[in-house]
Amino acid sequence: MLLSIKDTFEDMSREAAKLIADRIHRKPSLVLGLATGSTPLGLYKELIRMHKEEGLSFAKVTTFNLDEYIGLPRTHPQSYYYFMWENFFKHIDIDRRYIYVPNGMATDIEGHCEWYENEIKRLDGIDVQVLGIGANGHIAFNEPGSSLGSRTRIKTLTEQTVKDNARFFKSTEEVPKTAITMGIGTIMEAKEIILLANSTSKARAIKEAVEGPIMAMVPASIIQMHRKAYVIVDKAAASALTHQFNG
Ligand code: GLP
């Protein structure tokens, strides 16, 4: 695991964007795993800039998003599909046919989850997976207690996650209580992982993920087992770490 502590959110975002741009240059048909939330917004902004100003092309890139709320159509402003479209996809030259986001309106959710896993396999797996982290240590919607070997499936959100995500909805009641999420086993099969975190609200989760024991109660701690994981954080998110060194 490579830990990189940056001064600011912008520095953190730039470092992650550089890494992804490098992988796209090496393999234009990169399979890229993407996350939602406020954390990767700076990364998407920087990748858009690189596309517009430096000619970084996503034309052959395939993307797989980590998760989606159940019951929200793609046109709902709080659906993750809508989020991705507004904050990233509509600004770059990605081919719509190569965008995968779980469908929260699927009639056969279990069948859909199986199909999603098979599509990842068909494309020889995810090359680079971007992750954020929940304040309770969750990754994607794998809440504390999730099996560390889990695959894409339905998960019920914890009260804390519903509360954390309520800021995007009119009220807590409107936040969907279930979601489709890639499993921890699915995420761990990505060839490289980039975990991003900023602000003091993530300091405890980062400490537990990076320095704590590996356990299902802190899903992000499994990243310690990955052979090529980059943890890129700002100073605030690193503030609770005992070992504050880069490398
Ligand atoms: C949600 C998403 C996660 C994300 C987390 C943190 O629960 N499912 O993938 O990492 O929120 O979000 P934020 O980056 O806004 O703190």
Side-chain angles (χ1 to χ4, degrees):
M1 185 173 63
L2 276 166
L3 174 67
S4 181
I5 303 172
K6 310 305 285 186
D7 283 340
T8 65
F9 173 74
E10 286 72 26
D11 294 339
M12 174 196 87
S13 306
R14 263 195 298 272
E15 174 148 328
K18 256 193 237 151
L19 215 144
I20 291 172
D22 171 75
R23 301 307 187 262
I24 295 174
H25 285 134
R26 287 198 224 170
K27 181 184 174 189
S29 62
L30 196 79
V31 180
L32 186 57
L34 296 175
T36 53
S38 44
T39 312
L41 281 177
L43 161 67
Y44 297 149
K45 209 172 134 197
E46 179 62 7
L47 287 173
I48 293 165
R49 190 199 62 74
M50 287 172 154
H51 167 65
K52 296 203 162 131
E53 293 174 15
E54 295 167 12
L56 177 67
S57 175
F58 295 84
K60 292 184 179 151
V61 170
T62 298
T63 61
F64 281 94
N65 260 81
L66 287 168
D67 45 12
E68 177 63 283
Y69 289 119
I70 290 179
L72 295 191
R74 292 184 156 183
T75 48
H76 191 292
Q78 297 312 331
S79 77
Y80 284 172
Y81 185 92
Y82 190 95
F83 174 99
M84 289 308 302
W85 189 258
E86 285 302 307
N87 291 298
F88 193 35
F89 298 147
K90 79 172 185 191
H91 306 284
I92 55 171
D93 62 342
I94 193 158
D95 186 325
R96 266 175 192 262
R97 292 171 303 166
Y98 301 160
I99 294 173
Y100 290 81
V101 180
N103 180 2
M105 298 296 283
T107 39
D108 169 14
I109 301 259
E110 274 177 30
H112 180 67
C113 292
E114 215 179 301
W115 171 81
Y116 207 72
E117 287 274 334
N118 287 337
E119 286 297 282
I120 295 173
K121 278 196 199 95
R122 189 176 65 80
L123 290 155
D124 285 334
I126 293 170
D127 292 307
V128 182
Q129 176 66 56
V130 176
L131 292 179
I133 184 170
N136 62 5
H138 76 234
I139 46 175
F141 271 132
N142 295 286
E143 296 283 25
S146 294
S147 157
L148 297 177
S150 52
R151 313 302 308 187
T152 303
R153 69 208 182 293
I154 305 177
K155 280 298 283 182
T156 302
L157 312 190
T158 60
E159 256 175 61
Q160 165 151 20
T161 300
V162 171
K163 222 170 72 199
D164 287 350
N165 292 352
R167 65 187 193 277
F168 301 112
F169 293 82
K170 282 193 203 104
S171 67
T172 311
E173 289 67 52
E174 271 186 37
V175 185
K177 307 296 180 288
T178 52
I180 299 175
T181 181
M182 266 189 214
I184 298 176
T186 321
I187 293 168
M188 284 295 283
E189 280 169 15
K191 290 160 199 124
E192 293 184 286
I193 292 180
I194 303 174
L195 187 142
L196 301 173
N198 66 288
S199 99
T200 47
S201 63
K202 299 293 172 66
R204 190 177 60 92
I206 284 296
K207 179 174 175 55
E208 290 181 347
V210 173
E211 295 180 341
I214 297 166
M215 56 179 176
M217 286 311 284
V218 183
S221 62
I222 192 69
I223 199 168
Q224 296 173 39
M225 294 289 290
H226 199 277
R227 290 198 297 176
K228 264 191 145 184
Y230 306 87
V231 177
I232 311 176
V233 296
D234 74 350
K235 274 186 175 165
S239 58
L241 290 174
T242 307
H243 300 286
Q244 298 208 7
F245 53 79
N246 285 300

